[in-house]
Amino acid sequence: SRFRQSMAEFDSIEIVDGLTESTNRVSLKAVFSQFGMVEVCWVPPPHLRQQEHAFVRYGSKEIAAQALEACQNGIVYLDGLMLRAQMRMQNGGGKSGKGGGRGGGGGRRPRSRSSSST
């Protein structure tokens, strides 16, 4: 199936639920190392956890698939909470890009008639 094939393209999983304010990279990496060697493990700072997800990247797609399956089956826990995960998109988009410019001032002046009659 196409879905199964596209899943095999990913070597990273994103943790979408189950982190606490005290969760750190070391503890998350330790939990996910039971499936295989973790190459990268990232946990956003507590104040950004509503907007950004932690992620774990493995050296192989097969290991990532095993870890994801274990999360989907509800058998991966950290700090007493079940971790929920999904495959992580790797197209460079998403949360890591900085937003576009928001300032800009400019615009039209209400009165552009500057006929100085002094």
Side-chain angles (χ1 to χ4, degrees):
S1 96
R2 179 174 269 202
F3 175 70
R4 199 76 167 153
Q5 190 176 14
S6 67
M7 269 185 55
E9 300 301 313
F10 301 109
D11 60 359
S12 301
I13 59 172
E14 194 171 59
I15 292 50
V16 295
D17 194 27
L19 299 184
T20 67
E21 282 194 18
S22 63
T23 303
N24 61 41
R25 191 179 62 80
V26 174
S27 61
L28 189 66
K29 184 176 180 179
V31 166
F32 282 99
S33 291
Q34 65 183 308
F35 302 102
M37 194 180 96
V38 172
E39 288 194 348
V40 178
C41 180
W42 185 78
V43 176
H47 67 281
L48 291 177
R49 291 186 188 173
Q50 295 300 316
Q51 297 98 354
E52 299 188 32
H53 295 133
F55 72 87
V56 176
R57 187 171 77 213
Y58 290 99
S60 90
K61 300 166 182 112
E62 293 77 23
I63 295 171
Q66 289 174 11
L68 177 65
E69 187 176 353
C71 288
Q72 291 172 336
N73 289 333
I75 59 174
V76 181
Y77 284 80
L78 179 61
D79 298 328
L81 294 173
M82 182 173 46
L83 297 180
R84 286 188 344 146
Q86 65 188 20
M87 279 295 179
R88 180 170 183 255
M89 297 298 194
Q90 293 187 344
N91 56 7
K95 315 238 174 12
S96 58
K98 298 281 185 236
R102 208 172 248 190
R108 291 183 222 153
R109 296 230 190 279
R111 283 191 266 208
S112 59
R113 276 185 269 161
S114 50
S115 50
S116 52
S117 54
T118 321

